[in-house]
Amino acid sequence: MPKPVVAIVGKPNVGKSALFNRLAGRRIAIVDETPGVTRDRVMAEADLLGRTVILFDTPGIDYALDDQLSRCLLDQVKIAIDDADVIVFLVDGLEGLTRTDLEIAEMLRKSGKPIVFAANKIDTSSTPMAEFWELRMGAPLPISALHGRNVDKLKAAISEKLPPPTPDELLPEEWTEAIKVAIVGRPNAGKSSLLNALLGEERVIVSPIPGTTRDAIDTPFEWQGHKFILIDTAGIRRKSQIRAPLEYYAMVRAFGAIDRCDVVVLVIDGVEGVTHQDARIGGYAHEQGKPTILVVSKWDLVRGKLEEETANPAQLRRREKLLQSDFANFLQKELWFLSYAPVLYTSATKRWNVEAVLEKALYCYEQSRKRITTGVLNRAIRQIIGEHPPPSEGKRQLKIYYATQPEVAPPTFVLFVNDPELMTDGYLRFLEKRFRAMFQWDGTPFKWVIRSSHERAVAIAT
């Protein structure tokens, strides 16, 4: 990316995420007193004295731990350091100097990158900090990320160490119109693996431990001339399974990612199949009017089982095709409200159908912004009514006088009728099905608004 990169580095629970949120000017990273909350490089744009930078929050470094996840976390920090133009080394001013601080300082010196040294949680000037001179980084800048003390001085110190502006930085903001794609699903369904496969690098931690991703992470990405912002989210558990406040915050972030995205990619575990929780997530996306793609992950494992049972390639292809057809029928039954959503069978590890996710995301985005002129819309409605007349109740029959499409994303249709109470859900579903077939319009939900013809008359009069 052309903008300079600033990475915040330190041991767990020194306040990196609180400082990240303070510099970004909004709450992005999850802040909690539990050490090790941040498990990915969380990224956001921040304004530092008129200069736009890409800000990275990183996982806390703890050399005392040597498990698989801790090694993954350290790798993420090292990648952030390699990417960074300036590093903010943050220590806990109240706790004082620790062995971990010494080890981190040594690693940062070896990186050769410009470093801004700051001690957090300092609310008064009387707090002693002489011991931090042992880190051989000079006197730390005393700050309080929580209360904003000396944060402006920290911004100035970072700005002084930034590289000179490049011509690209002076261009108009180019990512404002990027397509925001939220990758959502249950824990361990393969969301982060899919994101890494799309990006072609280990940007997000992939681990067999469910719940590894906790923040909604925005990653700008360009593909075939189209700009995307890919949002990886925490796995959404059932409410009954959420035990800690931290898991609740992560779930709220994931649903928030659906709210602000343009397209939802719902990742479904191909081995486990569709669950009630998948339906809940998909239902929320549908209710919010978001175009949705159903991505069946880990298809290489499903195919591997077929290969064990099938000797010849032709038979394997036939069996796989039949299995995909059965899976699609099952999806149609369990996620009937997402009948418009395309289905893709993918493998992140084998990179099967990975680019097709971006193709469908672009397609669904365009479909959600499609508009039909009022004249064409009303001719279509008259044709559909001619094929199948509206329902009646006793001696009263529903009459549709006029239709219009006032909005897109999602496409919204207003029908002016003689009595809205006569419109049944069944006939509305019939209208939508025929409408989609006539205009080859899928990939996005529709929103229908039924109004009395009297309302239209009042609107015209005013």
Side-chain angles (χ1 to χ4, degrees), residues 276-314:
H276 175 76
Q277 187 65 354
D278 292 320
R280 177 175 172 241
I281 299 167
Y284 184 82
H286 174 75
E287 289 168 2
Q288 300 306 306
K290 304 297 181 178
T292 301
I293 305 165
L294 302 178
V295 171
V296 182
S297 66
K298 307 178 186 178
W299 196 251
D300 56 319
L301 301 181
V302 178
R303 197 172 191 273
K305 292 180 181 179
L306 290 178
E307 288 175 343
E308 292 174 4
E309 303 167 0
T310 311
N312 94 50

Side-chain angles (χ1 to χ4, degrees), residues 1-10 14-26 28-30 38-48 52-61 73 75-90 108 113 116 154 158 162 195-196 199 201-205 215-221 230:
M1 288 172 286
K3 299 180 179 67
V5 175
V6 177
I8 305 173
V9 177
V14 296
K16 296 184 299 299
S17 294
L19 178 59
F20 175 87
N21 289 338
R22 176 69 67 173
L23 293 175
R26 58 197 187 279
I28 299 171
I30 296 174
T38 300
R39 290 180 173 175
D40 291 298
R41 286 177 291 155
V42 182
M43 181 175 64
E45 286 191 355
D47 184 271
L48 297 185
T52 302
V53 302
I54 302 298
L55 193 64
F56 275 129
D57 183 20
T58 65
I61 301 172
L73 295 176
D75 288 342
Q76 285 292 301
V77 177
K78 289 178 178 178
I79 292 172
I81 291 171
D82 289 341
D83 289 345
D85 295 294
V86 176
I87 297 166
V88 176
F89 177 30
L90 199 64
L108 294 181
K113 297 293 181 74
V116 175
L154 179 66
I158 297 171
L162 291 175
L195 176 62
N196 287 337
L199 297 173
E201 64 170 78
E202 293 296 315
R203 176 60 63 87
V204 179
I205 295 171
D215 285 285
I217 304 167
D218 290 19
T219 306
F221 174 68
L230 305 179

Side-chain angles (χ1 to χ4, degrees), residues 398-401 415-420 423 450-453:
L398 174 69
K399 294 181 181 179
I400 302 175
Y401 295 117
L415 300 181
F416 291 95
V417 302
N418 59 331
D419 185 352
M423 176 65 78
I450 313 302
R451 289 182 178 170
S452 168
S453 57

Side-chain angles (χ1 to χ4, degrees), residues 190-227:
K191 301 179 297 299
S192 295
S193 297
L194 175 61
L195 176 62
N196 287 337
L198 289 169
L199 297 173
E201 64 170 78
E202 293 296 315
R203 176 60 63 87
V204 179
I205 295 171
V206 178
S207 166
I209 305 168
T212 303
T213 299
R214 283 175 173 167
D215 285 285
I217 304 167
D218 290 19
T219 306
F221 174 68
E222 190 164 350
W223 175 77
Q224 293 189 3
H226 299 283
K227 289 181 171 60

Side-chain angles (χ1 to χ4, degrees), residues 278-284 286 332-340 445:
D278 292 320
R280 177 175 172 241
I281 299 167
Y284 184 82
H286 174 75
Q332 178 67 29
K333 178 182 177 183
E334 298 297 317
L335 306 177
W336 55 269
F337 46 86
L338 294 176
S339 59
Y340 52 81

Side-chain angles (χ1 to χ4, degrees), residues 1-259:
M1 288 172 286
K3 299 180 179 67
V5 175
V6 177
I8 305 173
V9 177
K11 67 185 179 185
N13 209 30
V14 296
K16 296 184 299 299
S17 294
L19 178 59
F20 175 87
N21 289 338
R22 176 69 67 173
L23 293 175
R26 58 197 187 279
R27 188 178 174 88
I28 299 171
I30 296 174
V31 178
D32 192 271
E33 293 181 359
T34 308
V37 168
T38 300
R39 290 180 173 175
D40 291 298
R41 286 177 291 155
V42 182
M43 181 175 64
E45 286 191 355
D47 184 271
L48 297 185
L49 305 182
R51 188 89 181 270
T52 302
V53 302
I54 302 298
L55 193 64
F56 275 129
D57 183 20
T58 65
I61 301 172
D62 189 347
Y63 290 103
L65 301 176
D66 193 32
D67 56 278
Q68 180 188 353
L69 182 58
S70 297
R71 289 192 292 273
C72 287
L73 295 176
L74 183 58
D75 288 342
Q76 285 292 301
V77 177
K78 289 178 178 178
I79 292 172
I81 291 171
D82 289 341
D83 289 345
D85 295 294
V86 176
I87 297 166
V88 176
F89 177 30
L90 199 64
V91 296
D92 189 326
L94 293 181
E95 182 185 7
L97 183 64
T98 66
R99 180 176 179 82
T100 302
D101 292 325
L102 289 165
E103 292 173 333
I104 295 172
E106 181 62 26
M107 178 184 69
L108 294 181
R109 272 195 296 272
K110 290 179 180 179
S111 73
K113 297 293 181 74
I115 298 170
V116 175
F117 182 29
N120 193 26
K121 307 180 185 179
I122 307 296
D123 292 308
T124 64
S125 57
S126 60
T127 306
M129 290 188 295
E131 60 184 317
F132 289 112
W133 282 86
E134 192 176 338
L135 296 174
R136 293 182 291 149
M137 289 192 169
L141 175 64
I143 69 167
S144 172
L146 187 61
H147 299 107
R149 180 174 184 261
N150 283 344
V151 171
D152 286 341
K153 291 182 180 179
L154 179 66
K155 290 181 179 181
I158 297 171
S159 298
E160 288 176 4
K161 293 183 180 294
L162 291 175
T166 63
D168 288 337
E169 286 185 63
L170 304 177
L171 293 175
E173 181 55 51
E174 55 184 26
W175 290 96
T176 54
E177 300 300 322
I179 302 172
K180 297 181 180 66
V181 180
I183 304 174
V184 300
R186 293 182 289 117
N188 209 31
K191 301 179 297 299
S192 295
S193 297
L194 175 61
L195 176 62
N196 287 337
L198 289 169
L199 297 173
E201 64 170 78
E202 293 296 315
R203 176 60 63 87
V204 179
I205 295 171
V206 178
S207 166
I209 305 168
T212 303
T213 299
R214 283 175 173 167
D215 285 285
I217 304 167
D218 290 19
T219 306
F221 174 68
E222 190 164 350
W223 175 77
Q224 293 189 3
H226 299 283
K227 289 181 171 60
F228 295 88
I229 294 178
L230 305 179
I231 310 171
D232 186 33
T233 63
I236 303 175
R237 300 177 184 272
R238 295 174 60 182
K239 286 186 179 179
S240 60
Q241 296 176 333
I242 296 174
R243 303 299 181 192
L246 191 59
E247 288 188 329
Y248 174 77
Y249 298 148
M251 181 194 72
V252 170
R253 283 295 161 75
F255 280 116
I258 294 176
D259 291 339

